[in-house]
C-alpha cells in the first residue's frame, strides 16, 4: 500500500464540503488491531453458533454446506476489498455515509442517515440485545421462552443497550476496550470449540464428511436461499468504516483492517463448520437449534452447554457494543453535514465522543426492543441496510471516473469484484420481495426509506437559509 495521503484529496472543495469535514472530525484514538476487533466483534454474533441447522436443512450434503459458507465469504470479501479502496480515499467518520455522499450526492446520503435514524440502528440494537438477554437468562438457569422470563427479555435487553451506551459515551477507549475483550473472548471460545472438535471429536468419529455430495441433496434454488442466510451471518464487516475518522493513520490502516478482519471471519466460519461436521452427522446438525452447544455437549457433557451459552452471551454483548459504537457515528456525520438536527453532531468536551448521537441511537434501540420481537427486528435491519451496502460498493464506479481520485489501495479484479458483491445484495433483497412471508414487511421498510425523500426536500429551504 502507498504512503498515507491527506484526507483532502479532491481539488477545489466546496465550502459546504470543507464545513462538513471540519464538523465531522473526531480524535483518532483507535489503533489498527482495535479496529480489527471492531470489525470482528461487530460481525460474529450468535449466527455461527446456531445458523448451520437451517443451512443443513437446505443443503444436507457436507460439501454443499461448506461451499455455501465459502461462497458467502467470497461475496463479503468482494465488498470488503471494494470498501478498502474507498475507505483509503475517505478515512472519515460516517464511513458508508461519506462514500455515498461523495459518489451519489446528498439525497442518497441523507436517505442512509435517515434510515439509520428511524430503522437500521434501532432494529440492530434491538435484535442483538434480545439475543444477549435470552442467553443471559439461560446462563442463570431460566427458559426465556416461558413467562415471566419471556417478558423479562425485553427489559434486560433495554438495560444492555443503555449499559453499552454509557461505556461508549465516556470515551472511545472504553468502548474499544470492551470490544477488544469481548472479541478475544468470543473468538477464543470459537477457536476452543474448533480445536476440541478436531483434536478429540475427529479421531473418535472419523468425521462426517462422506458422502460429500449425496444424490438429490443439491438444487440451485435451495443454494440461493441458503446464500441469503449466510450473507446475514457475515453482515457487520462494513461497520468499522463508520469509525474511520477515529482510526489512527486511517488512509493506510482502514484498507488493512477491512481485508484482515474479513479474512479472519471467513477462516473462523469455515473452520467452525468443519469442526461441527467432525463431531456431528449432517442429519443431527439439521435438527440442532444450537449446534455449537450440541458439539460441546458431545465433547464435554453438560459443562459444554454452559460454556457455549456463556460464549454466545459474550459474543452478542460484544456485537451490541460494536453496533452502538459504529452506528452513532452515522447519525453524527449526517448531522455534521447539516442533514439532521445540528445538536446530534455535538461532541462532548470532556470525553470527545458524539454524545448526543450515542444516546439518540441507544434510546431508539430501547424503544424498538421493548416493542418488537427478535425476528421482526432482524428482518427489518437486513432489509433496510442492503440497498445502502450496494450503493456504497457501487460508489467505486463513480469515483474512478474522477481524475482527482487517488486512493491508497486499489481493489484487485476491478470491475468484477464490486460487481459480484452488488449482484449478491440484489439477490438478497429480491429474495425478500419474492417470498410471500416477507414481502409485506420488506415493502413497508422500503416505504419508510423512501419517505425520507420528501423529508429531504421539505427541509431543503431551511438548510439553504442557513447556508448549509
Amino acid at each position: 500500500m502507498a504512503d498515507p495521503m491527506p484526507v483532502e484529496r479532491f481539488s477545489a472543495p466546496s465550502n459546504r464540503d470543507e464545513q462538513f469535514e471540519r464538523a465531522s472530525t473526531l480524535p483518532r484514538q483507535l489503533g489498527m488491531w482495535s479496529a480489527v476487533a471492531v470489525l470482528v466483534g461487530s460481525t460474529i454474533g450468535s449466527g455461527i453458533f446456531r445458523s448451520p441447522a437451517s443451512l443443513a436443512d437446505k443443503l444436507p450434503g457436507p460439501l454443499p454446506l461448506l461451499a455455501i459458507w465459502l461462497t458467502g465469504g467470497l461475496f463479503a470479501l468482494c465488498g470488503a476489498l471494494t470498501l478498502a479502496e474507498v475507505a483509503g480515499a475517505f478515512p472519515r467518520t460516517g464511513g458508508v455515509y461519506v462514500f455515498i455522499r461523495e459518489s451519489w450526492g446528498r439525497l442518497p446520503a441523507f436517505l442512509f442517515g435517515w434510515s439509520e435514524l428511524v430503522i437500521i440502528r434501532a432494529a440492530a440494537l434491538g435484535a442483538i440485545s434480545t439475543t444477549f438477554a435470552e442467553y443471559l437468562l439461560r446462563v442463570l438457569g431460566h427458559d426465556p421462552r416461558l413467562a415471566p422470563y419471556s417478558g423479562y427479555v425485553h427489559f434486560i435487553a433495554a438495560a444492555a443497550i443503555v449499559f453499552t451506551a454509557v461505556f461508549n459515551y465516556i470515551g472511545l477507549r472504553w468502548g474499544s476496550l470492551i470490544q477488544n475483550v469481548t472479541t478475544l473472548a468470543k473468538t477464543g471460545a470459537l477457536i476452543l470449540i474448533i480445536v476440541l472438535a478436531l483434536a478429540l471429536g475427529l479421531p473418535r468419529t472419523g468425521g462426517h464428511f462422506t458422502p460429500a455430495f449425496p444424490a438429490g441433496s443439491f438444487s440451485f434454488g435451495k443454494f440461493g436461499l441458503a446464500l441469503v442466510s449466510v450473507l446475514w451471518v457475515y453482515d457487520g464487516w462494513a461497520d468499522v468504516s463508520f469509525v474511520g475518522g477515529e482510526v489512527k493513520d486511517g488512509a493506510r490502516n482502514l484498507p488493512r483492517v477491512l481485508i484482515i478482519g474479513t479474512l479472519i471471519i471467513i477462516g473462523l466460519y469455515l473452520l467452525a463448520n468443519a469442526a461441527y461436521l467432525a463431531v456431528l452427522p449432517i442429519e443431527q446438525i439439521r435438527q440442532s437449534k444450537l449446534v455449537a452447544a450440541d458439539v460441546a455437549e458431545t465433547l464435554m457433557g453438560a459443562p459444554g452447554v454452559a460454556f457455549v451459552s456463556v460464549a454466545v452471551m459474550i459474543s452478542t454483548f460484544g456485537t451490541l457494543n460494536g453496533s452502538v459504537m459504529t452506528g452513532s457515528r452515522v447519525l453524527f456525520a449526517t448531522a455534521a453535514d447539516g442533514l439532521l438536527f445540528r445538536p446530534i453532531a455535538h461532541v462532548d468536551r470532556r470525553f470527545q465522543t458524539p454524545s448526543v448521537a450515542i444516546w439518540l441511537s441507544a434510546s431508539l434501540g430501547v424503544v424498538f426492543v421493548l416493542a418488537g420481537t427478535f425476528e421482526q427486528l432482524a428482518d427489518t435491519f437486513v432489509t433496510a441496510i442492503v440497498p445502502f451496502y450496494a450503493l456504497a460498493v457501487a460508489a467505486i464506479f463513480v469515483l474512478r471516473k474522477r481524475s482527482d481520485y487517488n486512493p491508497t489501495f486499489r481493489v484487485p479484479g476491478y470491475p468484477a469484484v464490486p460487481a459480484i458483491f452488488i449482484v449478491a445484495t440484489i439477490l438478497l433483497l429480491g429474495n425478500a420481495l419474492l417470498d410471500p412471508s416477507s414481502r409485506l414487511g420488506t415493502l413497508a421498510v422500503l416505504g419508510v426509506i423512501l419517505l425520507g425523500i420528501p423529508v429531504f426536500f421539505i427541509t431543503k429551504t431551511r438548510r439553504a437559509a442557513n447556508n448549509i
Side-chain angles (χ1 to χ4, degrees), residues 17-67:
D17 291 338
E18 292 175 345
Q19 289 178 354
F20 170 49
E21 189 165 334
R22 286 196 300 270
S24 61
T25 298
L26 291 171
R28 294 188 178 273
Q29 306 176 58
L30 204 59
M32 190 187 82
W33 290 108
S34 291
V36 170
V38 170
L39 188 153
V40 174
S42 297
T43 303
I44 299 178
S46 61
I48 188 59
F49 296 99
R50 63 193 302 180
S51 61
S54 63
L55 295 174
D57 193 44
K58 299 181 181 73
L59 303 167
L63 183 58
L65 182 62
L66 293 174

Side-chain angles (χ1 to χ4, degrees), residues 138-370:
R138 286 178 182 176
V139 169
L140 296 176
H142 307 298
D143 190 338
R145 297 170 297 180
L146 303 177
Y149 303 106
S150 57
Y152 294 166
V153 166
H154 298 278
F155 297 105
I156 295 173
I161 293 174
V162 173
F163 189 67
T164 53
V166 169
F167 278 99
N168 280 278
Y169 163 65
I170 62 177
L172 180 67
R173 291 181 180 178
W174 281 101
S176 64
L177 176 62
I178 291 179
Q179 198 66 18
N180 291 343
V181 171
T182 56
T183 298
L184 285 173
K186 73 171 74 176
T187 305
L190 192 57
I191 291 174
L192 180 60
I193 293 173
I194 292 169
V195 170
L196 290 176
L198 297 178
L200 301 179
L202 187 59
R204 186 187 308 168
T205 66
H208 302 279
F209 301 102
T210 56
F213 207 101
S217 68
F218 182 83
S219 76
F220 284 105
K222 289 184 178 180
F223 192 86
L225 290 173
L227 181 58
V228 171
S229 300
V230 167
L231 290 176
W232 291 352
V233 182
Y234 274 105
D235 182 73
W237 55 268
D239 284 8
V240 72
S241 72
F242 298 157
V243 293
E246 295 164 90
V247 176
K248 297 175 181 178
D249 196 2
R252 180 190 293 271
N253 284 332
L254 275 171
R256 296 173 175 175
V257 169
L258 282 159
I259 296 169
I260 292 172
T262 304
L263 288 174
I264 289 173
I265 295 295
I266 294 171
L268 285 174
Y269 283 1
L270 287 173
L271 286 172
N273 280 274
Y276 298 158
L277 287 167
V279 177
L280 302 177
I282 195 78
E283 294 78 11
Q284 190 171 345
I285 292 176
R286 190 185 309 134
Q287 302 299 323
S288 174
K289 298 302 180 184
L290 191 58
V291 63
D294 288 343
V295 169
E297 184 176 25
T298 301
L299 296 171
M300 298 182 283
V305 178
F307 169 76
V308 170
S309 295
V310 172
V312 175
M313 184 184 73
I314 294 173
S315 176
T316 50
F317 185 79
T319 306
L320 177 64
N321 180 74
S323 189
V324 171
M325 180 191 301
T326 58
S328 60
R329 269 59 178 182
V330 178
L331 302 183
F332 169 80
T334 310
D337 201 14
L339 300 183
L340 288 177
F341 295 113
R342 279 291 190 185
I344 299 176
H346 172 74
V347 178
D348 187 90
R349 291 185 178 181
R350 179 180 179 186
F351 299 116
Q352 292 295 295
T353 54
S355 53
V356 175
I358 289 172
W359 287 113
L360 177 60
S361 60
S363 299
L364 292 172
V366 168
V367 172
F368 270 52
V369 80
L370 292 177

Side-chain angles (χ1 to χ4, degrees), residues 54-111:
S54 63
L55 295 174
D57 193 44
K58 299 181 181 73
L59 303 167
L63 183 58
L65 182 62
L66 293 174
I68 197 68
W69 284 98
L70 178 59
T71 303
L74 291 176
F75 281 146
L77 184 60
C78 287
L81 285 168
T82 306
L83 287 199
E85 175 177 322
V86 182
F90 301 99
R92 297 191 355 219
T93 300
V96 170
Y97 173 86
V98 176
F99 309 155
I100 294 174
R101 180 188 188 274
E102 294 291 340
S103 54
W104 303 109
R106 300 184 91 208
L107 174 56
F110 169 78
L111 291 180

Side-chain angles (χ1 to χ4, degrees), residues 300-462:
M300 298 182 283
V305 178
F307 169 76
V308 170
S309 295
V310 172
V312 175
M313 184 184 73
I314 294 173
S315 176
T316 50
F317 185 79
T319 306
L320 177 64
N321 180 74
S323 189
V324 171
M325 180 191 301
T326 58
S328 60
R329 269 59 178 182
V330 178
L331 302 183
F332 169 80
T334 310
D337 201 14
L339 300 183
L340 288 177
F341 295 113
R342 279 291 190 185
I344 299 176
H346 172 74
V347 178
D348 187 90
R349 291 185 178 181
R350 179 180 179 186
F351 299 116
Q352 292 295 295
T353 54
S355 53
V356 175
I358 289 172
W359 287 113
L360 177 60
S361 60
S363 299
L364 292 172
V366 168
V367 172
F368 270 52
V369 80
L370 292 177
T373 65
F374 170 81
E375 290 76 13
Q376 292 168 337
L377 295 168
D379 290 348
T380 297
F381 165 76
V382 172
T383 302
I385 196 71
V386 162
F388 298 107
Y389 279 167
L391 276 178
V393 170
I396 194 172
F397 296 114
V398 177
L399 294 171
R400 280 211 174 187
K401 295 179 180 179
R402 298 170 64 160
S403 60
D404 45 5
Y405 175 64
N406 189 21
T408 59
F409 168 85
R410 288 188 178 267
V411 58
Y414 175 88
V417 168
I420 290 172
F421 179 84
I422 293 168
V423 169
T425 56
I426 291 173
L427 289 175
L428 191 152
L429 187 59
N431 182 80
L433 286 170
L434 292 175
D435 190 336
S437 64
S438 61
R439 184 178 301 140
L440 286 178
T442 301
L443 290 173
V445 171
L446 295 178
V448 174
I449 293 174
L450 295 176
L451 184 62
I453 295 176
V455 173
F456 177 84
F457 286 106
I458 288 171
T459 58
K460 189 174 183 179
T461 303
R462 178 187 62 82

